[in-house]
Amino acid sequence: MRLWAESLWCLFFPKRCIVCNRPLVGGERYLCIPCRADMPYSYQWCYKEGAAEESFSAKVPLERQYSLFFYRDNYKKIIYAIKYASSTRLARVMGRELGERIGGNSSIDYIVPVPLHWRRKLKRGYNQSQLIAEGILQGMNSCTDAKLPRMASGSLRRCRFTQTQTAKDKESRALNVQNAFALSGREYEGLYDAHILLVDDVLTTGATLQACALLLHSHYRCRISIATLAYDE
């Protein structure tokens, strides 16, 4: 009965590709086959030198940068759907895809999603970075039997409500997140000298990720890598 009802619903209200809005057919999930084939993958998991390393190195040495795809054209709609259209399952699915590419060959000990301010999380209902991080962990788990990283979601908190970064330039973004983050009251002993993977939805100027990385690196003397679904060149 349930399958019949779902089939009837899809007949009149077909699911559509997030990128091109074409109705999806059997076997397609979120993206149609042509859009999936044209996905602008970054392939940053294939090589050590990431595009963000130079901007990070002044304050926080960056071990690795992982981004699934380039933030361009209609593929930006993936991030929009995750952040503003409650596509929570999509966040985990895309995160899992990135986690499968990061694989089990990394030395990551902990995964830390960039926190949301409680006001924004209350309005949105979820933290998209947390969902992406959970997907990454699932993806890593699917391709290795080695020891997996642990989640340390509570190690950072967003202590100041900030305006959205979307329309700001590089300097304004840095000022906007200045003193916006703090370490949580709980001490995470395992983070000392560990390798931490910081997770966010999109990497643009890196201001948010740098602010979080600086806090963790200065307190825990840890190594930092970053992972985002999208990278804005």
Side-chain angles (χ1 to χ4, degrees), residues 44-48 63-66 98-111 136-137 139-141 143-150 194-199 223-227:
Q44 290 171 342
W45 52 86
C46 295
Y47 47 88
K48 181 173 172 53
E63 295 284 322
R64 291 291 299 269
Q65 173 198 348
Y66 304 101
L98 178 57
E100 290 171 350
R101 284 161 170 78
I102 294 174
N105 297 322
S106 66
S107 59
I108 296 165
D109 300 302
Y110 285 88
I111 298 178
I136 288 174
L137 188 56
M140 294 178 71
N141 186 34
C143 60
T144 179
D145 294 326
K147 181 182 177 181
L148 288 170
R150 298 174 63 184
H195 185 185
I196 294 174
L197 182 68
L198 263 175
V199 177
R223 293 178 293 146
I224 300 289
S225 290
I226 59 174

Side-chain angles (χ1 to χ4, degrees), residues 6 13 15 18 21 30 34 44 46 96 106 126-127 138 143 152 165 171 174 182 209 220:
E6 288 181 352
F13 304 99
K15 295 181 179 179
I18 291 172
N21 203 39
Y30 300 112
Q44 290 171 342
C46 295
R96 181 185 176 94
S106 66
Y126 57 92
N127 177 5
Q138 290 173 3
C143 60
Q165 297 274 71
E171 184 177 352
L209 285 161
Y220 290 109

Side-chain angles (χ1 to χ4, degrees), residues 137-211:
L137 188 56
Q138 290 173 3
M140 294 178 71
N141 186 34
S142 69
C143 60
T144 179
D145 294 326
K147 181 182 177 181
L148 288 170
R150 298 174 63 184
M151 295 290 293
S153 304
S155 55
L156 290 173
R157 62 186 179 90
R158 198 154 192 153
C159 55
R160 185 168 63 82
F161 187 80
T162 57
Q163 298 175 347
T164 179
Q165 297 274 71
T166 304
K168 297 183 181 296
D169 58 24
K170 183 174 182 179
E171 184 177 352
S172 299
R173 285 171 183 256
L175 290 174
N176 191 43
V177 296
Q178 193 172 37
N179 301 319
F181 299 96
L183 295 169
S184 68
R186 176 184 172 186
E187 190 77 3
Y188 283 77
E189 297 291 339
L191 297 186
Y192 284 99
D193 299 314
H195 185 185
I196 294 174
L197 182 68
L198 263 175
V199 177
D200 205 0
D201 49 16
V202 59
L203 172 63
T204 306
T205 64
T208 298
L209 285 161
Q210 284 192 70

Side-chain angles (χ1 to χ4, degrees), residues 70-110:
F70 289 113
Y71 188 67
R72 62 170 67 140
D73 305 325
N74 284 339
Y75 289 88
K76 294 180 180 180
K77 294 179 180 180
I78 296 173
I79 300 300
Y80 183 91
I82 290 172
K83 293 180 71 171
Y84 306 116
S86 300
S87 295
T88 55
R89 293 179 65 182
L90 176 61
R92 289 192 177 95
V93 167
M94 300 302 290
R96 181 185 176 94
E97 190 172 336
L98 178 57
E100 290 171 350
R101 284 161 170 78
I102 294 174
N105 297 322
S106 66
S107 59
I108 296 165
D109 300 302
Y110 285 88

